[in-house]
Amino acid sequence: MRPHPRLAAAALLPLLTGCTGPQSALDPQGPNAASLAWLIWTFTAVCGLVWLLVLLTVGIALWRRRASSGAADEPLRPESATERRKQGVVIGAVVATVLIIATLTLMSFVATRSLTASSGEPLTVRLRGYQWWWEVTYTADSPDRFVTAANEIRVPVGRPVRLELSSGDVIHSFWVPSLAGKQDMIPGRDNVLTFTAERPGSYRAQCAEFCGMQHARMALVVIAMAAPEFESWLDAQRQPAAEPADEEQEAGRQVATGKACAACHTIRGTRAAGTVGPDLTHVGSRQTIAAGTLPTTRGALGAWIADPQTVKPGNKMPMVPLSADELRAVSAYMAGLK
Amino acid sequence: MTASTAGFATIRQSDGHDPSGGSAARWGIVAAIAASVGWLLLSGTAVAQESASGFSLRLVGTFRTDNPNAHLAAPVMAGGRLLLLTPFPHRLTALRLGPEGLHPEWRFTPETDRMAEGTACCGLGVRSPAVAGGRAFLNTADGRTIALDAASGTKIWEMRTADRGSGESLASSPLPVGDKVLIGNAGDDFGVRGWLKALDATSGATLWTRYSTGPDEDVGIGPDFAPFYKIARGRDLGAATWPPGAWERGGGSVSGPLMADTGLGLVFHGTGRPAPLNPDQRPGENRWTSGLFARDLATGAARWFYQLAPHDQHGVSGTGPLILADRDWKGRARKLLIHVGLNGHVYVLDRISGELLSAEAFAPVNAFRGGAAASGAIAVAQEKATRVGATTRDVCPAWTGATSSEGAALSAETGLLFIAAARLCMDIEIRPANYIRGTPYLGANVRVKGPPEGGAGELVAWRLDDARPAWTVSEPYPLLGGPLWHPRGFVIYGTLDGWLKALDARDGRLVWQQRLASGVVSAPMLVRGADGAEYVTVLAGRGGAAGPAAGLEADLRDATAARGFGNLLRGLSAEAQPGGTLYLFALP
Amino acid sequence: MSAASSPPLDIDIRHEELDGRLAETWRTRPGFWGALATVDHKVIGRRYIATAFVFLILGGILALAMRWQLARPEGRLVSPDLYNQIFTMHGANMMFLFAVPVMEAMAVYLVPLMLGTRNIAFPRLNAFSYWIYLAGGILLWVSFALNMGPDIGWFGYVPLSGPQFSPGKRADIWAQMITFTEIAALAVAVEIVVTVFKQRAPGMTLDRIPLFVWAMLVTSFLVMLAMPAIMVASTSLILDRLVGTHFYNPAEGGDVLLWQHLFWFFGHPEVYIIFLPATGMISSMLPAFVRRPVFGYLPLVLSMVTIGILSFGLWVHHMFTTGLPRLGESFFTASSMAIAVPAGVQIFCWIATIWDGRPVYRTPFLFILAFFFTFVLGGMTGVMVASVPLDTQVHDTYFVVAHFHYVLIGGAVFPLMAAIYFWYPKMVGRMMSERIGRWVAGLTFVGFNLAFFPMHILGLQGMPRRIYTYQTDVPWSGLNLFVSLSTVILAAGFLLFFIDAVRSARRGEPAGENPWGAPSLEWATTSPPPPYNFARIPVVTGRNPLWDERGDMPVASGLRVDRRELLITSVADAIPEARDSSPRDSIWPFWAAIATSAMLIGSIFSPWAVVWGSIPVAITLVGWFWPKGTPEDDA
Amino acid sequence: MRAVAIAGLAALLAAGCQREERDLRLDPPVTAALDQVAPMANAVGGAPPDVLGALGEPYEGNAYNLSEGKRLYSWFNCKGCHADGGGASGPALLDGWWRYGSDPVSLFVTLRDGRQNGMPAYGDKLTTEQIWQLVGYLRTVGVSSASFAAPSRNDEMQSRPAENRAPASAELGTPPSR
């Protein structure tokens, strides 16, 4: 736990870091998040002003000069005239409160209405939460063009995305602050979240409802791409898994389809068709593995496969005993599944 | 006939033993008596039978199989011998029959792969062998097709036609046509891919294989394919109506009867349900599962297809009984294909064009709304649609089907279709299914139950022409075997609780019944013995679609035991024991 | 009351003798068993308060552990499993074992004194309540020590807390701990309502009741209406887990959102169960430090009642992201915002009270000022989270963590600290140190704001709640480190406070009857008060009895001294109606609590424990209510 | 009475420690040792690995391991053949009388290597630890007296009393709709 100079510097500038970041509600990248950010700033301004006014009044009440009357310790007996005057002021303050509250309520109501409205033919993506990863299914007009992936959502810029949220076990909550507010994924219920990304980029999302031991490591990335790029990416995802490029990868495929891996994971185009773990057909093309825990590199894949319970204690992937060669081969194969 | 009709009248007044007409309490007493009589019968010393009409089948012989599994295969005649194929591990016994009873002549015991017990369909039972050209062809539960010399039992060839390791098995009878033998596979529960194969009858070599899912080339869809309904037209629908790769393990097995019309040069077969049961894991119409194919007998090329349940949510497949009939339909002579659907409807199709002429329910159905005949597609009732993680209650019919694949017989001249019906409903909860090769690929929890009004079984006499029942006889347990219609005007069928019954075909009145040693899940057969006399054979031995729930192994405290039958059959085990016995009755 | 053997009445006895006679009648017997058997509301109240503060310390240590873990990304101080237990324990402990009990404990101690009566109503139930509370607390903490601590969050959402996803007994322990604390809280609530309605000093009409008592009255009604919801919820959870019922199983027709509705129907009033007593404390303390009666007695009472009623109408704002119908959500936005109005009325009345008062800057007043600063800020963020669209961004983030700590620490703990400094002399007889007190106020105020304000920003930066760690690729490490360091300041403040409290018990300056020159009745007796509270029952003629009566206070008399008697007065006008006996000490409430605890703990493991366990409970209850032939026990 | 209550409580709590431990990662040598069962010649019965005892029988009374076993039971399709213990194409498990032995070693061998009459081998689909978790779970299915650590019901359709309610002691219901 060596102190890190950059962290210390960041600690001194808390307010400067407040507005940006890959997962910030105040760094909106889509109309929904933008109107929410505007709402946050407005509420903050109004509420902050009220707060300052109240404190100012308390300050004045404390330090204003008073006519000294009577013994210092003797309790005052309020005069009815001043009491009545104060009564008027208090009533005025209450009326002002009511007005402010009513205005804020109305604003929030209008904002709700505008969030639910969207224009254009949306891209429908099914997102299903599991302990502790996300299954992403891109729908299409024909089921054979559906794509099932995991822990990463790619969306075209400028087109509304309709996320159909569900859960396979406990309650999760999908939250990508840069693009939209959060929406829960509840067993036995179907929720929908619609958002649009306005600029290309990758936006971090995270599970926002406590869902068990690895709640902290249940993140995903929303990657917004230009529409044509997105379409070609989606076409690539529709293809079965890439053939091994060399002998090592071929050996890796033998391991992946012959060992316990295949009982949980699908690699389309091979015998591996398990459905209880994430689809690995194009795992090498994703930015992260294990729901945002590690970057997708060959080394990280190796570390993860070798000992998942140390990287992410409690997750449902067991430590499958592999020899060093098998481990090298299978991580090479996985990294090659672009 | 007149005399027996008079006899019927006396039954109704004097006899309290009629289970369909009697009160529940009376029936209970009778069942108790019969159970003890059944026990006596097991020890081979006495036979209980009841007849007040003078009509009576006379028991002339029995043959014990010593096999506890589902005896689905009614024996077939081959050159004066009865060929009896007992369930897995199989043994084929040739029995000579005559007035003095049944006498084994020779036995054939195929090699067996005991591991098939874990994957074989239908309670380890296989439907009857087929005999043609002096050869007997049989399918085994561990995936072999074997040709024998029907006279001597000498093996001619043996082929491994189904891949046991993937959960594939064989369940239906082979269909020898000309120089070919057609066979279909089973294994929807394991996510196998359904196929129909043509083997060379002489060598056993595979001539062609036509799959139920996948690209057109695999399915045998080519220029000759002309389905009546537009919905079935398109390129590679067997793959395009599935998520990527899902058709490779998409079910659609050909585990029902195969029916050939040599005149038209067509073979008709149903396809099984899509796999897994979880419809969420296979969005799309899931062609060509849960439907009916007409294929060219010579090439296997598809001619037409009618899908009974696109995107089948309730697991009712298209493997019900198929009957060919040339009849007058609405004033026009037509070649009909009658399909008694496991989804509880009698379908009447034009077997040349594949046009649906009628589809009406013969069993309790609430999962579908009517109107199939008009649009060509059945509509799922929204309130009975299934959902992941939620239990849809009281869905009728149950996924085990409203009848079984030999569950219907047609009386052509009267236009009555006799259906051994299972009036079943289910509570079904869709769960995620994990695909591991060679292990079940199901994705649902199911409790099967009878309809609320009682009577889980029924023998239905169905008037084909106006699509409604003429009469019905209620049974406490689902009928999993089939009826035998005899031209002399009676219907014979066996029940799961071990009764063999004969009804008057005109009004369904019970004319005779007898307690057997076990429940019946096969159809009684009419055979002509070497002496020229007619006999009725009945094979008792519980199992079948109910699986081990009807046998010894299931523990019925689990409501989902034995595909959900556990829930229904609590209380049955006291009434009839498993174990196979073949009965031979002489007709009066 | 026959003339022949006329019982000794207080009017017949000389003043000097009276104290001795009353003390003999009301005292707690010495020794271990006497301590277990006591039903004196002051003894039980002190125990209750001390126990609650012990739980505060334990919960605070957990908070420090969490801050240590979160100070750096990828922290490795605790495992995820332990962290989940820790944050669950922290929340459950602070809500169920500290905040609610400590407020009720203050009431147990103060309400009878403020009302001028000799003991709380149902004193044996009061003793039972404490033992049950203690047992619940011990159950939770012993389980935690044995690695059986609940790990499902203090809200215990199903299905995570349900039978499938929480193996073992962790969730059951949490659910049953709730049963313990709710039994205790319901018992106290009933006692307070009856005490307030029937045992007020003569002349204390409804509009003369001290505001803290009003607050506790409203709170007690909240407790009685809200707590059953959570008991139903937690009991059905245990049934689901143990017996296999399907209350929360969507596959068999149950509903997971049912839990959230039930929980928050309790959970939101819970906040006001904690906050209302604190506002009552402010209203009761403020006059002493601005040297004038509180402004707006009636609006203050009405706003407390309004808050109490409204608090049942806004539970859904905890569920804005669950996808409920939009119209319903808008309604709950409106009601959640509306509660700001009565809260505002209170603030305005207090400011108006200060306006032309003469501020006396003693430690309790400093805490009251800290309360203004923090609570109003927490209220403002409360308005923000009440907005549905805004809540979708901040719900379940550190913004909410900051918000409710501002409300709960700013709105309840600061007033509580003020109250401890204020009433400590009454309870102990000695003053706490003013010098240390100023340090405590300063450190806690600064430490609190430095620790919790940045959490608002962290929340907006996307940091979710209840995460055991975060990765280096998110820019949260700087603020988290800052927060964690600031926690040390806050902890130092609390440490000083506890040191001072312990030290002052021995070495503090003697306090005298009324060290603050405060107006309410509890200051009309000695510090600490005698077992019988008042030698003669005071008669009240105004809202501020000790200020209104310049000379001696009028008293009522005619109560017997040879047995425990108190005066029953009418509900509205407090006109004396009857003398009633008050139960003597009894060991049976203790045994009953032991038996009940055994039954409740056993019922985690087997439903039959309810059957077998109710036998000892019945025996102890028979002992509790066994008639002794003396009128006071028959009563 | 109090002494008994305290002693009982202490016993419960002591049992709690072992029951609630969540050992998420076994060291590879331990896993390898767990694989060292010594079955009898007919592959029924035999000596369990020594390491089990050294670990404190973690698959007998540990709630977390048992619940993991229950999860694996449905994830790996045991349900498809054995239903919820009632059996289907595979034999019933509820009665606790099993073809190839119901002791841990027999079960372990059954799961790992499969059995001749159709039980597939799971040795290449599950890790050794997972097989032991399943063994522990299966042994809670066929018992007629429940343990406190046994799993409770799943959020699924009701099929029978859950493992913590001793399903094997359940009464057989009456047949519906007769």
Side-chain angles (χ1 to χ4, degrees), chain A residues 247-265:
Chain A
E247 269 179 29
E248 189 181 35
Q249 289 193 9
E250 176 56 42
R253 178 159 78 174
Q254 296 300 327
V255 175
T257 55
K259 293 263 180 179
C261 318
C264 293
H265 297 286

Side-chain angles (χ1 to χ4, degrees), chain A residues 1-4 7-8 10-11 14-15 17-26 33 36-37 39-40 43-44 46-48 50-51 54-55 57-58 60-64 66 68-78 82-84 86-87 90 93-94 97-98 101 104-105 107-109 111-112 115-116 131 168-171 173 175-189 191 204 206-217 219 291-294 310-313, chain C residues 68 72-77 80-81 84 87-88 151-153 155 157-160 165 250 255-257 260 290-296 320-324 326-327 329-330 333-334 337-338 340-341 344-345 347-349 351-361 365 369 372-374 376-377 380-381 383-384 386-397 453-454 457 459-471 473-479 481-482 516-517 547-550:
Chain A
M1 291 247 183
R2 189 167 44 83
H4 200 293
L7 298 184
L15 287 168
T17 59
C19 300
T20 56
Q23 191 171 327
S24 172
L26 298 178
L36 289 176
L39 204 64
I40 291 172
F43 267 64
T44 309
V46 173
C47 293
V50 172
W51 178 65
V54 170
L55 286 192
T57 323
V58 173
I60 294 170
L62 288 174
W63 287 300
R64 76 192 193 91
R66 292 174 169 81
S68 60
S69 66
D73 206 30
E74 192 61 15
L76 296 164
R77 294 186 177 268
T82 51
E83 293 292 284
R84 260 201 305 281
K86 282 198 298 190
Q87 209 172 335
V90 167
V94 172
T97 311
V98 171
I101 293 295
L104 293 179
T105 308
M107 275 171 56
S108 115
F109 183 67
T112 312
L115 288 183
T116 46
Q131 280 180 329
D169 36 46
V170 302
I171 301 178
S173 186
W175 185 37
V176 52
S178 307
L179 296 174
K182 60 184 74 63
Q183 188 68 257
D184 289 356
M185 311 161 91
I186 301 174
R189 280 178 182 262
N191 278 340
R204 197 169 183 275
Q206 193 161 0
C207 175
E209 184 60 82
F210 180 62
C211 56
M213 202 177 306
Q214 281 297 340
H215 169 53
R217 293 197 198 274
T293 304
L294 295 171
T310 297
V311 177
K312 190 170 170 179
Chain C
W68 189 351
R72 301 283 312 276
E74 307 284 3
R76 289 196 173 265
L77 176 70
D81 187 29
N84 292 345
F87 88 71
T88 304
D151 56 353
I152 51 175
F155 45 91
Y157 273 10
V158 293
L160 184 62
F165 297 100
D255 191 351
V256 296
L257 278 192
Q260 297 190 20
V290 296
R291 309 308 305 159
R292 57 149 289 166
V294 75
F295 173 87
F320 278 161
T321 62
T322 56
L324 294 174
R326 291 273 173 233
L327 189 67
E329 288 186 340
S330 300
T333 293
M337 294 221 180
V341 176
V345 169
I347 301 277
F348 300 142
C349 285
I351 294 176
T353 308
I354 298 173
W355 190 263
D356 51 12
R358 280 196 303 263
V360 182
Y361 293 94
F365 191 57
L369 295 178
F372 276 114
F373 184 93
T374 47
V376 175
L377 185 58
M380 290 303 147
T381 51
V383 168
M384 294 172 77
S387 156
V388 176
L390 213 157
D391 189 55
T392 61
Q393 281 288 27
V394 296
H395 178 71
D396 271 341
T397 70
F453 189 80
I457 300 162
L460 291 172
Q461 275 182 310
M463 181 164 167
R465 290 168 79 176
R466 301 157 188 153
I467 53 172
Y468 76 92
T469 191
Y470 49 91
Q471 284 148 275
D473 59 348
V474 280
W476 305 331
S477 49
L479 278 180
L481 183 62
F482 180 80
W516 312 106
W547 287 355
D548 298 339
E549 298 298 332
R550 292 301 152 136

Side-chain angles (χ1 to χ4, degrees), chain B residues 27 114-115 117-118 427 429 431 434 436 439-440 445 447 450-451 477 548 553-559 561-562 567 570, chain D residues 75 77 79 83-84 86-88 92 94 99 115-119 122 125 156-159 168 170 175-178:
Chain B
W27 165 234
R114 294 301 298 251
M115 283 302 278
E117 269 192 34
D427 296 342
E429 184 208 3
R431 307 290 310 173
N434 187 21
I436 304 173
T439 68
N445 291 326
R447 291 185 295 237
Y477 290 102
E553 294 260 37
D555 193 319
L556 305 184
R557 286 174 291 200
D558 172 6
N567 194 47
R570 291 172 175 172
Chain D
W75 274 26
N77 300 342
K79 247 185 165 171
D84 274 344
L94 267 177
R99 290 184 187 179
R115 294 288 185 177
Q116 64 205 10
N117 284 355
M119 172 73 203
Y122 274 87
K125 304 177 181 81
E156 286 182 27
M157 175 187 278
Q158 172 80 24
S159 54
S177 58
R178 276 291 301 266

Side-chain angles (χ1 to χ4, degrees), chain C residues 407-578:
Chain C
V407 173
L408 288 175
I409 295 187
V413 176
F414 283 168
L416 179 70
M417 304 271 278
I420 294 293
Y421 272 95
F422 187 69
W423 278 296
Y424 186 91
K426 178 52 64 184
M427 295 175 185
V428 181
R430 291 174 186 276
M431 304 292 287
M432 286 177 77
S433 161
E434 187 64 24
R435 196 164 60 91
I436 300 179
R438 283 166 192 272
W439 274 102
V440 172
L443 285 173
T444 49
F445 175 71
V446 171
F448 170 78
N449 279 290
L450 289 180
F452 285 92
F453 189 80
M455 289 187 188
H456 290 116
I457 300 162
L458 275 174
L460 291 172
Q461 275 182 310
M463 181 164 167
R465 290 168 79 176
R466 301 157 188 153
I467 53 172
Y468 76 92
T469 191
Y470 49 91
Q471 284 148 275
T472 45
D473 59 348
V474 280
W476 305 331
S477 49
L479 278 180
N480 269 305
L481 183 62
F482 180 80
V483 165
S484 294
L485 292 175
S486 307
T487 328
V488 178
I489 305 175
L490 183 59
F494 275 105
L495 186 65
L496 267 186
F497 170 75
F498 290 117
I499 291 173
D500 187 25
V502 172
R503 189 202 63 89
S504 303
R506 294 276 179 88
R507 290 190 224 143
E509 280 179 41
E513 276 193 6
N514 189 356
W516 312 106
S520 44
L521 275 186
E522 76 272 25
W523 304 105
T525 183
T526 55
S527 303
Y532 47 90
N533 289 357
F534 301 95
R536 296 179 197 279
I537 304 298
V539 172
V540 175
T541 55
R543 274 181 200 154
N544 301 288
L546 269 57
W547 287 355
D548 298 339
E549 298 298 332
R550 292 301 152 136
D552 288 341
M553 289 193 57
V555 295
S557 53
L559 295 177
R560 280 167 65 164
V561 298
D562 62 337
R563 63 170 202 172
R564 296 181 176 186
E565 269 196 351
L566 26 86
L567 198 60
I568 303 297
T569 55
S570 64
V571 173
D573 298 326
I575 297 163
E577 287 179 327

Side-chain angles (χ1 to χ4, degrees), chain B residues 35-121:
Chain B
S36 58
V37 175
W39 168 248
L40 291 175
L41 185 72
L42 264 182
S43 48
T45 55
V47 170
Q49 66 181 50
E50 292 146 16
S51 171
S53 63
F55 175 92
S56 168
L57 292 176
R58 187 172 49 87
L59 183 66
V60 291
T62 63
F63 178 77
R64 298 266 300 274
T65 67
D66 295 323
N67 188 312
N69 296 317
H71 286 64
L72 296 167
V76 291
M77 282 304 288
R81 292 177 202 86
L82 266 184
L83 299 185
L84 173 64
L85 180 65
T86 48
F88 189 83
H90 304 287
R91 195 173 57 192
L92 185 75
T93 312
L95 300 158
R96 200 182 66 242
L97 85 168
E100 67 283 4
L102 293 162
H103 300 283
E105 273 195 0
W106 49 261
R107 291 192 172 89
F108 171 75
T109 309
E111 275 182 66
T112 50
D113 177 356
R114 294 301 298 251
M115 283 302 278
E117 269 192 34
T119 49
C121 160

Side-chain angles (χ1 to χ4, degrees), chain B residues 53-317:
Chain B
S53 63
F55 175 92
S56 168
L57 292 176
R58 187 172 49 87
L59 183 66
V60 291
T62 63
F63 178 77
R64 298 266 300 274
T65 67
D66 295 323
N67 188 312
N69 296 317
H71 286 64
L72 296 167
V76 291
M77 282 304 288
R81 292 177 202 86
L82 266 184
L83 299 185
L84 173 64
L85 180 65
T86 48
F88 189 83
H90 304 287
R91 195 173 57 192
L92 185 75
T93 312
L95 300 158
R96 200 182 66 242
L97 85 168
E100 67 283 4
L102 293 162
H103 300 283
E105 273 195 0
W106 49 261
R107 291 192 172 89
F108 171 75
T109 309
E111 275 182 66
T112 50
D113 177 356
R114 294 301 298 251
M115 283 302 278
E117 269 192 34
T119 49
C121 160
C122 322
L124 303 173
V126 168
R127 295 283 170 185
S128 315
V131 179
R135 273 176 290 196
F137 300 95
L138 55 126
N139 282 332
T140 70
D142 56 354
R144 301 161 207 259
T145 306
I146 303 170
L148 301 175
D149 182 280
S152 65
T154 318
K155 186 163 80 179
I156 300 172
W157 50 259
E158 174 181 327
M159 288 297 189
R160 292 219 67 140
T161 45
D163 175 13
R164 201 269 307 154
S166 69
E168 205 166 71
S169 65
L170 301 174
S172 56
S173 300
L175 175 67
V177 192
D179 57 348
K180 291 190 203 64
V181 183
L182 301 183
I183 55 167
N185 68 348
D188 293 337
D189 289 0
F190 291 80
V192 307
R193 187 180 171 201
W195 48 248
L196 176 76
K197 272 184 192 178
L199 309 182
D200 184 294
T202 325
S203 67
T206 302
L207 301 174
W208 43 257
T209 305
R210 302 296 181 210
Y211 291 94
S212 302
T213 65
D216 284 351
E217 194 186 339
D218 296 7
V219 182
I221 288 176
D224 291 345
F225 185 60
F228 188 84
Y229 297 100
K230 201 165 61 190
I231 191 171
R233 293 175 207 152
R235 247 191 88 72
D236 290 332
L237 291 182
T241 55
W242 294 85
W247 54 266
E248 293 166 23
R249 45 188 179 278
S253 70
V254 186
S255 52
L258 309 173
M259 195 58 70
D261 182 338
T262 44
L264 291 174
L266 290 178
V267 60
F268 304 95
H269 70 87
T271 56
R273 65 172 177 82
L277 270 177
N278 180 346
D280 232 40
Q281 282 175 265
R282 42 173 177 83
E285 308 268 273
N286 308 134
R287 257 179 276 281
W288 309 89
T289 61
S290 289
L292 301 174
F293 261 119
R295 293 182 179 277
D296 189 299
L297 257 178
T299 64
R303 283 291 178 78
W304 55 258
F305 177 81
Y306 175 76
Q307 194 164 25
L308 301 163
H311 187 58
D312 189 349
Q313 297 190 40
H314 304 98
V316 284
S317 40

